[in-house]
């Protein structure tokens, strides 16, 4: 199996998920929630049937069973004693608070900023955030690939003898801090946007960088904690994103009700991500 095909699999998965998110709102608005829920159930059953069919066709049931260890490592004490772990954890915690508000509030902001806009156009910024996230996360994964343990250093295109390789690379620590900082700066465009074009520009930029740090985290964790179980290391770090995912939009909404100012709310979440980038720079 070629390197390019291996990279294509998760990229295709992300693209299918993001494209589904992009069109789901329009179908829900047009046909109502009940047919939409029924369609979702049918699609879920079809997805399970497709996986079973794929497994049967390619003989995955005949694959050797995975090796089982005597115990599962959930938390490695050595990782908790490392200063870099807590810097990464704090970076993720602050960054996650600003990750979901664009998905929740960008359509509301568009309707209030552009009077008379049609329902179809009002969801376009949300669709662009999802769509550009596909490219942002895929490009980030390709750029940090040479540093990933156990993977080839280059991504080949075509036959092996052609020697066409992607040689661009970015060190994961710099990429992690950089995308968080760029996401924080993108909120400034939204904070001062007063036209539909500016909102679309923000949607594209934030989609490229807003959640890209999650694609970089596994590789960064593997090279930062080489002696720690990779799954346990990433799992412990992702836990710190939970408060932001649960309460980020809630905090944004309450701040909006108290201040009545989009600018103050957006500068607040931009500050959260800037703090997250600051912690990441010292990893």
């Amino acid at each position: 199996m070629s390197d390019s095909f291996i990279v294509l699999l998760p990229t295709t998965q992300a693209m299918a998920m993001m494209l589904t998110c992009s069109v789901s709102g329009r179908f829900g608005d047009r046909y109502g929630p009940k047919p939409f829920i029924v369609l979702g159930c049918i699609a879920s059953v079809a997805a399970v049937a497709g996986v079973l069919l794929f497994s049967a066709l390619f003989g995955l049931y005949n694959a050797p069973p995975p090796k089982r260890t005597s115990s599962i490592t959930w938390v490695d004490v050595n990782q908790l004693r490392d200063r870099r772990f807590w810097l990464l954890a704090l970076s993720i915690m602050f960054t996650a608070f600003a990750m979901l508000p664009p998905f929740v509030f960008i359509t509301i902001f568009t309707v209030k900023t552009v009077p008379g806009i049609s329902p179809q156009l009002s969801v376009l910024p949300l669709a662009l955030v999802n769509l550009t996230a596909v490219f942002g996360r895929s490009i980030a994964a390709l750029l940090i690939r040479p540093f990933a343990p156990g993977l080839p250093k280059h991504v080949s295109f075509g036959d092996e003898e052609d020697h066409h390789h992607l040689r661009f690379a970015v060190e994961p620590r710099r990429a992690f801090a950089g995308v968080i900082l760029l996401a924080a700066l993108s909120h400034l465009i939204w904070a001062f946007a007063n036209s539909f074009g500016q909102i679309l520009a923000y949607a594209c930029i934030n989609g490229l960088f807003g959640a890209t740090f999650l694609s970089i985290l596994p590789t960064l964790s593997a090279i930062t904690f080489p002696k720690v179980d990779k799954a346990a290391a990433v799992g412990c770090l992702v836990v710190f994103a939970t408060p932001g995912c649960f309460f980020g939009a809630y905090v944004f909404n309450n701040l909006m009700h108290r201040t009545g100012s989009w600018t103050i709310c957006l500068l607040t979440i931009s500050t959260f991500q800037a703090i997250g980038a600051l912690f990441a720079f010292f990893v």
Side-chain angles (χ1 to χ4, degrees), residues 40-261:
C41 294
I42 296 174
S44 300
V45 174
V48 173
V51 171
L52 295 176
L53 179 62
F54 181 87
S55 301
L57 290 177
F58 289 90
L60 297 183
Y61 285 124
N62 299 323
K67 295 181 180 180
R68 299 182 180 273
T69 57
S70 57
S71 62
I72 298 176
T73 302
W74 296 102
V75 179
D76 195 308
V77 179
N78 294 325
Q79 184 184 18
L80 299 180
R81 294 173 179 170
D82 195 324
R83 176 184 62 89
R84 296 171 298 177
F85 169 80
W86 295 106
L87 288 173
L88 267 178
L90 289 171
S91 175
I92 293 170
M93 185 175 67
F94 278 97
T95 302
F97 269 94
M99 184 174 65
L100 295 183
F103 294 89
V104 179
F105 297 101
I106 186 67
T107 302
I108 300 174
F109 179 83
T110 303
V111 172
K112 292 187 176 182
T113 305
V114 187
I117 190 171
S118 66
Q120 291 77 16
L121 284 178
S122 66
V123 299
L124 182 58
L126 178 60
L128 285 177
V129 171
N130 284 285
L131 184 60
T132 53
V134 175
F135 299 100
R137 299 182 71 165
S138 302
I139 293 171
L142 288 173
L143 291 179
I144 66 171
R145 179 190 174 88
F147 298 91
L151 291 180
K153 300 302 180 185
H154 303 289
V155 180
S156 60
F157 296 90
D159 298 330
E160 294 293 334
E161 58 270 15
D162 291 342
H163 301 293
H164 297 302
H165 297 299
L166 180 66
R167 300 185 179 274
F168 298 103
V170 180
E171 204 276 327
R173 292 184 181 89
R174 295 181 179 179
F176 188 82
V179 296
I180 296 175
L181 181 60
L182 289 172
L185 294 176
S186 72
H187 295 306
L188 299 179
I189 301 176
W190 186 7
F192 300 102
N194 52 22
S195 67
F196 189 59
Q198 292 173 343
I199 297 174
L200 293 180
Y202 162 79
C204 293
I205 297 173
N206 185 263
L208 285 173
F209 302 110
T212 304
F213 72 99
L214 293 175
S215 297
I216 304 172
L217 182 60
T219 300
L220 176 59
S221 176
I223 65 173
T224 305
F225 314 106
K227 297 182 180 181
V228 178
D229 181 82
K230 293 179 175 58
V234 176
C236 288
L237 289 170
V238 171
V239 167
F240 285 88
T242 304
C245 292
F246 270 109
F247 301 110
Y250 176 79
V251 171
F252 187 99
N253 185 61
N254 276 270
L255 187 61
M256 184 66 196
H257 279 292
R258 288 178 178 272
T259 63
S261 171

